[in-house]
Amino acid sequence: MSGIEYDGRAVCALDVVDLERSLRWYQQALGFEVVHRLDTWGWAELSTPLPGISIGIGQVEDPKTDGGVVVTFGVRDIDKAREHLESHGTRFDGETRLVADEVRLATFYDPDGNTFMLSERVAQA
């Protein structure tokens, strides 16, 4: 037992240059929905399809996008998900890779260069 009583929610906070542009991309490309917005702070929280997991985006002049945690979304069909994201102009870091015959991974970036990854488990024979 850790002594911390978690409430079942986690927010991954990211820096962006243009809140409006980023909100459009997160909604259109990833299908997230705005659940809270503080315009005076340049902040919005978006729900993901994963219960209790949301993305917070905060507008700053110089976003720090190098290093840190890479949010990885498990998907059922990585090729279909990648095609959808590419149709929204999403930039990927190379091809989708197979790792240890267990998982396929594809790294992509939001409009500000924040890193994300798609992950598809490979069915074991």
Side-chain angles (χ1 to χ4, degrees):
M1 190 121 214
S2 74
I4 299 173
E5 294 184 42
Y6 295 99
D7 70 1
R9 297 175 301 129
V11 178
C12 302
L14 307 168
D15 292 345
V16 300
V17 171
D18 183 332
L19 186 65
E20 291 302 323
R21 177 189 71 177
S22 293
L23 284 173
R24 281 191 305 277
W25 184 83
Y26 279 89
Q27 291 172 304
Q28 294 170 3
L30 295 176
F32 296 173
E33 295 181 24
V34 176
V35 294
H36 189 66
R37 187 166 175 171
L38 291 170
D39 287 323
T40 57
W41 285 74
W43 169 263
E45 185 176 335
L46 299 105
S47 65
T48 72
L50 306 168
I53 306 295
S54 61
I55 300 290
I57 56 175
Q59 184 170 305
V60 297
E61 288 183 23
D62 185 23
K64 306 297 182 222
T65 61
D66 53 343
V69 173
V70 176
V71 178
T72 303
F73 296 104
V75 296
R76 296 180 197 270
D77 184 336
I78 200 168
D79 297 322
K80 184 177 177 182
R82 181 177 179 137
E83 182 179 311
H84 170 76
L85 287 169
E86 287 174 334
S87 77
H88 288 279
T90 303
R91 181 174 61 92
F92 278 80
D93 183 14
E95 299 298 317
T96 300
R97 300 176 313 280
L98 176 63
V99 177
D101 291 331
E102 294 179 14
V103 64
R104 295 177 68 209
L105 301 172
T107 301
F108 67 97
Y109 305 95
D110 77 356
D112 290 287
N114 289 298
T115 307
F116 293 91
M117 192 176 289
L118 298 174
S119 168
E120 177 188 15
R121 293 179 193 255
V122 175
Q124 299 295 317

PDB file of all heavy atoms in Angstrom, residues 92-111:
ATOM      1  N   PHE A  92       4.962  11.836 -38.620  1.00  0.00           N
ATOM      2  CA  PHE A  92       5.445  10.630 -37.945  1.00  0.00           C
ATOM      3  C   PHE A  92       6.958  10.579 -38.011  1.00  0.00           C
ATOM      4  O   PHE A  92       7.570  11.127 -38.919  1.00  0.00           O
ATOM      5  CB  PHE A  92       4.848   9.379 -38.601  1.00  0.00           C
ATOM      6  CG  PHE A  92       3.464   9.055 -38.117  1.00  0.00           C
ATOM      7  CD1 PHE A  92       2.374   9.745 -38.621  1.00  0.00           C
ATOM      8  CD2 PHE A  92       3.254   8.078 -37.158  1.00  0.00           C
ATOM      9  CE1 PHE A  92       1.100   9.465 -38.169  1.00  0.00           C
ATOM     10  CE2 PHE A  92       1.983   7.792 -36.701  1.00  0.00           C
ATOM     11  CZ  PHE A  92       0.900   8.485 -37.202  1.00  0.00           C
ATOM     12  N   ASP A  93       7.556   9.888 -37.067  1.00  0.00           N
ATOM     13  CA  ASP A  93       9.000   9.692 -37.014  1.00  0.00           C
ATOM     14  C   ASP A  93       9.319   8.343 -37.665  1.00  0.00           C
ATOM     15  O   ASP A  93       9.437   7.333 -36.983  1.00  0.00           O
ATOM     16  CB  ASP A  93       9.482   9.713 -35.567  1.00  0.00           C
ATOM     17  CG  ASP A  93      10.990   9.596 -35.456  1.00  0.00           C
ATOM     18  OD1 ASP A  93      11.686   9.761 -36.478  1.00  0.00           O
ATOM     19  OD2 ASP A  93      11.479   9.336 -34.342  1.00  0.00           O
ATOM     20  N   GLY A  94       9.411   8.330 -38.976  1.00  0.00           N
ATOM     21  CA  GLY A  94       9.741   7.102 -39.693  1.00  0.00           C
ATOM     22  C   GLY A  94       8.572   6.150 -39.816  1.00  0.00           C
ATOM     23  O   GLY A  94       7.416   6.509 -39.616  1.00  0.00           O
ATOM     24  N   GLU A  95       8.920   4.921 -40.140  1.00  0.00           N
ATOM     25  CA  GLU A  95       7.922   3.882 -40.369  1.00  0.00           C
ATOM     26  C   GLU A  95       7.440   3.271 -39.055  1.00  0.00           C
ATOM     27  O   GLU A  95       8.080   3.412 -38.012  1.00  0.00           O
ATOM     28  CB  GLU A  95       8.529   2.777 -41.248  1.00  0.00           C
ATOM     29  CG  GLU A  95       8.981   3.255 -42.619  1.00  0.00           C
ATOM     30  CD  GLU A  95       7.832   3.797 -43.452  1.00  0.00           C
ATOM     31  OE1 GLU A  95       6.750   3.171 -43.457  1.00  0.00           O
ATOM     32  OE2 GLU A  95       8.000   4.854 -44.086  1.00  0.00           O
ATOM     33  N   THR A  96       6.331   2.540 -39.133  1.00  0.00           N
ATOM     34  CA  THR A  96       5.854   1.760 -38.002  1.00  0.00           C
ATOM     35  C   THR A  96       6.835   0.607 -37.806  1.00  0.00           C
ATOM     36  O   THR A  96       7.241  -0.038 -38.764  1.00  0.00           O
ATOM     37  CB  THR A  96       4.432   1.231 -38.280  1.00  0.00           C
ATOM     38  OG1 THR A  96       3.566   2.353 -38.485  1.00  0.00           O
ATOM     39  CG2 THR A  96       3.912   0.390 -37.131  1.00  0.00           C
ATOM     40  N   ARG A  97       7.238   0.383 -36.554  1.00  0.00           N
ATOM     41  CA  ARG A  97       8.254  -0.631 -36.262  1.00  0.00           C
ATOM     42  C   ARG A  97       7.663  -1.819 -35.499  1.00  0.00           C
ATOM     43  O   ARG A  97       6.772  -1.642 -34.666  1.00  0.00           O
ATOM     44  CB  ARG A  97       9.373  -0.020 -35.407  1.00  0.00           C
ATOM     45  CG  ARG A  97      10.073   1.132 -36.076  1.00  0.00           C
ATOM     46  CD  ARG A  97      11.123   1.815 -35.185  1.00  0.00           C
ATOM     47  NE  ARG A  97      10.736   2.136 -33.825  1.00  0.00           N
ATOM     48  CZ  ARG A  97      10.012   3.193 -33.457  1.00  0.00           C
ATOM     49  NH1 ARG A  97       9.563   4.031 -34.363  1.00  0.00           N
ATOM     50  NH2 ARG A  97       9.746   3.421 -32.200  1.00  0.00           N
ATOM     51  N   LEU A  98       8.206  -2.994 -35.771  1.00  0.00           N
ATOM     52  CA  LEU A  98       7.858  -4.203 -35.020  1.00  0.00           C
ATOM     53  C   LEU A  98       8.959  -4.426 -33.997  1.00  0.00           C
ATOM     54  O   LEU A  98      10.144  -4.487 -34.345  1.00  0.00           O
ATOM     55  CB  LEU A  98       7.757  -5.407 -35.962  1.00  0.00           C
ATOM     56  CG  LEU A  98       7.483  -6.758 -35.303  1.00  0.00           C
ATOM     57  CD1 LEU A  98       6.118  -6.753 -34.608  1.00  0.00           C
ATOM     58  CD2 LEU A  98       7.555  -7.862 -36.348  1.00  0.00           C
ATOM     59  N   VAL A  99       8.579  -4.568 -32.735  1.00  0.00           N
ATOM     60  CA  VAL A  99       9.543  -4.740 -31.656  1.00  0.00           C
ATOM     61  C   VAL A  99       9.361  -6.128 -31.046  1.00  0.00           C
ATOM     62  O   VAL A  99       8.276  -6.446 -30.539  1.00  0.00           O
ATOM     63  CB  VAL A  99       9.374  -3.649 -30.574  1.00  0.00           C
ATOM     64  CG1 VAL A  99      10.338  -3.875 -29.427  1.00  0.00           C
ATOM     65  CG2 VAL A  99       9.547  -2.266 -31.179  1.00  0.00           C
ATOM     66  N   ALA A 100      10.424  -6.932 -31.128  1.00  0.00           N
ATOM     67  CA  ALA A 100      10.480  -8.261 -30.499  1.00  0.00           C
ATOM     68  C   ALA A 100       9.288  -9.144 -30.862  1.00  0.00           C
ATOM     69  O   ALA A 100       8.854  -9.963 -30.051  1.00  0.00           O
ATOM     70  CB  ALA A 100      10.612  -8.114 -28.983  1.00  0.00           C
ATOM     71  N   ASP A 101       8.762  -8.987 -32.065  1.00  0.00           N
ATOM     72  CA  ASP A 101       7.599  -9.776 -32.511  1.00  0.00           C
ATOM     73  C   ASP A 101       6.428  -9.701 -31.533  1.00  0.00           C
ATOM     74  O   ASP A 101       5.603 -10.599 -31.472  1.00  0.00           O
ATOM     75  CB  ASP A 101       7.978 -11.241 -32.749  1.00  0.00           C
ATOM     76  CG  ASP A 101       8.887 -11.410 -33.943  1.00  0.00           C
ATOM     77  OD1 ASP A 101       8.796 -10.590 -34.879  1.00  0.00           O
ATOM     78  OD2 ASP A 101       9.697 -12.357 -33.938  1.00  0.00           O
ATOM     79  N   GLU A 102       6.377  -8.615 -30.745  1.00  0.00           N
ATOM     80  CA  GLU A 102       5.327  -8.478 -29.736  1.00  0.00           C
ATOM     81  C   GLU A 102       4.436  -7.262 -29.933  1.00  0.00           C
ATOM     82  O   GLU A 102       3.253  -7.308 -29.613  1.00  0.00           O
ATOM     83  CB  GLU A 102       5.948  -8.385 -28.339  1.00  0.00           C
ATOM     84  CG  GLU A 102       6.644  -9.638 -27.900  1.00  0.00           C
ATOM     85  CD  GLU A 102       7.254  -9.488 -26.517  1.00  0.00           C
ATOM     86  OE1 GLU A 102       6.919  -8.522 -25.805  1.00  0.00           O
ATOM     87  OE2 GLU A 102       8.076 -10.338 -26.161  1.00  0.00           O
ATOM     88  N   VAL A 103       5.019  -6.172 -30.417  1.00  0.00           N
ATOM     89  CA  VAL A 103       4.268  -4.928 -30.501  1.00  0.00           C
ATOM     90  C   VAL A 103       4.732  -4.127 -31.710  1.00  0.00           C
ATOM     91  O   VAL A 103       5.910  -4.129 -32.051  1.00  0.00           O
ATOM     92  CB  VAL A 103       4.412  -4.106 -29.185  1.00  0.00           C
ATOM     93  CG1 VAL A 103       5.831  -3.670 -28.965  1.00  0.00           C
ATOM     94  CG2 VAL A 103       3.468  -2.938 -29.151  1.00  0.00           C
ATOM     95  N   ARG A 104       3.791  -3.438 -32.347  1.00  0.00           N
ATOM     96  CA  ARG A 104       4.107  -2.506 -33.430  1.00  0.00           C
ATOM     97  C   ARG A 104       3.961  -1.103 -32.857  1.00  0.00           C
ATOM     98  O   ARG A 104       2.979  -0.801 -32.169  1.00  0.00           O
ATOM     99  CB  ARG A 104       3.161  -2.705 -34.607  1.00  0.00           C
ATOM    100  CG  ARG A 104       3.334  -4.061 -35.264  1.00  0.00           C
ATOM    101  CD  ARG A 104       2.347  -4.273 -36.394  1.00  0.00           C
ATOM    102  NE  ARG A 104       2.676  -3.362 -37.492  1.00  0.00           N
ATOM    103  CZ  ARG A 104       1.773  -2.880 -38.358  1.00  0.00           C
ATOM    104  NH1 ARG A 104       0.502  -3.188 -38.258  1.00  0.00           N
ATOM    105  NH2 ARG A 104       2.160  -2.077 -39.319  1.00  0.00           N
ATOM    106  N   LEU A 105       4.948  -0.240 -33.137  1.00  0.00           N
ATOM    107  CA  LEU A 105       4.975   1.107 -32.582  1.00  0.00           C
ATOM    108  C   LEU A 105       5.149   2.137 -33.691  1.00  0.00           C
ATOM    109  O   LEU A 105       5.912   1.916 -34.638  1.00  0.00           O
ATOM    110  CB  LEU A 105       6.139   1.253 -31.601  1.00  0.00           C
ATOM    111  CG  LEU A 105       6.152   0.314 -30.403  1.00  0.00           C
ATOM    112  CD1 LEU A 105       7.458   0.455 -29.636  1.00  0.00           C
ATOM    113  CD2 LEU A 105       4.962   0.588 -29.497  1.00  0.00           C
ATOM    114  N   ALA A 106       4.471   3.269 -33.537  1.00  0.00           N
ATOM    115  CA  ALA A 106       4.622   4.394 -34.465  1.00  0.00           C
ATOM    116  C   ALA A 106       4.641   5.679 -33.646  1.00  0.00           C
ATOM    117  O   ALA A 106       3.705   5.973 -32.903  1.00  0.00           O
ATOM    118  CB  ALA A 106       3.475   4.422 -35.473  1.00  0.00           C
ATOM    119  N   THR A 107       5.724   6.433 -33.782  1.00  0.00           N
ATOM    120  CA  THR A 107       5.890   7.692 -33.059  1.00  0.00           C
ATOM    121  C   THR A 107       5.385   8.841 -33.921  1.00  0.00           C
ATOM    122  O   THR A 107       5.703   8.913 -35.104  1.00  0.00           O
ATOM    123  CB  THR A 107       7.374   7.917 -32.716  1.00  0.00           C
ATOM    124  OG1 THR A 107       7.828   6.817 -31.923  1.00  0.00           O
ATOM    125  CG2 THR A 107       7.576   9.215 -31.952  1.00  0.00           C
ATOM    126  N   PHE A 108       4.599   9.748 -33.313  1.00  0.00           N
ATOM    127  CA  PHE A 108       4.078  10.906 -34.039  1.00  0.00           C
ATOM    128  C   PHE A 108       4.121  12.135 -33.146  1.00  0.00           C
ATOM    129  O   PHE A 108       4.402  12.046 -31.958  1.00  0.00           O
ATOM    130  CB  PHE A 108       2.674  10.639 -34.587  1.00  0.00           C
ATOM    131  CG  PHE A 108       1.599  10.480 -33.533  1.00  0.00           C
ATOM    132  CD1 PHE A 108       0.783  11.552 -33.190  1.00  0.00           C
ATOM    133  CD2 PHE A 108       1.378   9.259 -32.915  1.00  0.00           C
ATOM    134  CE1 PHE A 108      -0.222  11.407 -32.241  1.00  0.00           C
ATOM    135  CE2 PHE A 108       0.372   9.099 -31.969  1.00  0.00           C
ATOM    136  CZ  PHE A 108      -0.421  10.175 -31.636  1.00  0.00           C
ATOM    137  N   TYR A 109       3.844  13.287 -33.769  1.00  0.00           N
ATOM    138  CA  TYR A 109       3.972  14.573 -33.071  1.00  0.00           C
ATOM    139  C   TYR A 109       2.723  15.418 -33.251  1.00  0.00           C
ATOM    140  O   TYR A 109       2.117  15.431 -34.324  1.00  0.00           O
ATOM    141  CB  TYR A 109       5.179  15.347 -33.617  1.00  0.00           C
ATOM    142  CG  TYR A 109       6.446  14.545 -33.554  1.00  0.00           C
ATOM    143  CD1 TYR A 109       6.875  13.813 -34.655  1.00  0.00           C
ATOM    144  CD2 TYR A 109       7.193  14.500 -32.385  1.00  0.00           C
ATOM    145  CE1 TYR A 109       8.032  13.048 -34.589  1.00  0.00           C
ATOM    146  CE2 TYR A 109       8.354  13.732 -32.313  1.00  0.00           C
ATOM    147  CZ  TYR A 109       8.764  13.011 -33.418  1.00  0.00           C
ATOM    148  OH  TYR A 109       9.896  12.255 -33.345  1.00  0.00           O
ATOM    149  N   ASP A 110       2.384  16.170 -32.198  1.00  0.00           N
ATOM    150  CA  ASP A 110       1.308  17.150 -32.335  1.00  0.00           C
ATOM    151  C   ASP A 110       1.881  18.362 -33.078  1.00  0.00           C
ATOM    152  O   ASP A 110       3.068  18.384 -33.408  1.00  0.00           O
ATOM    153  CB  ASP A 110       0.696  17.495 -30.971  1.00  0.00           C
ATOM    154  CG  ASP A 110       1.509  18.447 -30.112  1.00  0.00           C
ATOM    155  OD1 ASP A 110       2.636  18.824 -30.501  1.00  0.00           O
ATOM    156  OD2 ASP A 110       1.016  18.825 -29.042  1.00  0.00           O
ATOM    157  N   PRO A 111       1.059  19.382 -33.382  1.00  0.00           N
ATOM    158  CA  PRO A 111       1.556  20.533 -34.152  1.00  0.00           C
ATOM    159  C   PRO A 111       2.730  21.278 -33.508  1.00  0.00           C
ATOM    160  O   PRO A 111       3.468  21.980 -34.193  1.00  0.00           O
ATOM    161  CB  PRO A 111       0.330  21.438 -34.263  1.00  0.00           C
ATOM    162  CG  PRO A 111      -0.828  20.502 -34.193  1.00  0.00           C
ATOM    163  CD  PRO A 111      -0.393  19.446 -33.205  1.00  0.00           C
TER     164      PRO A 111
END
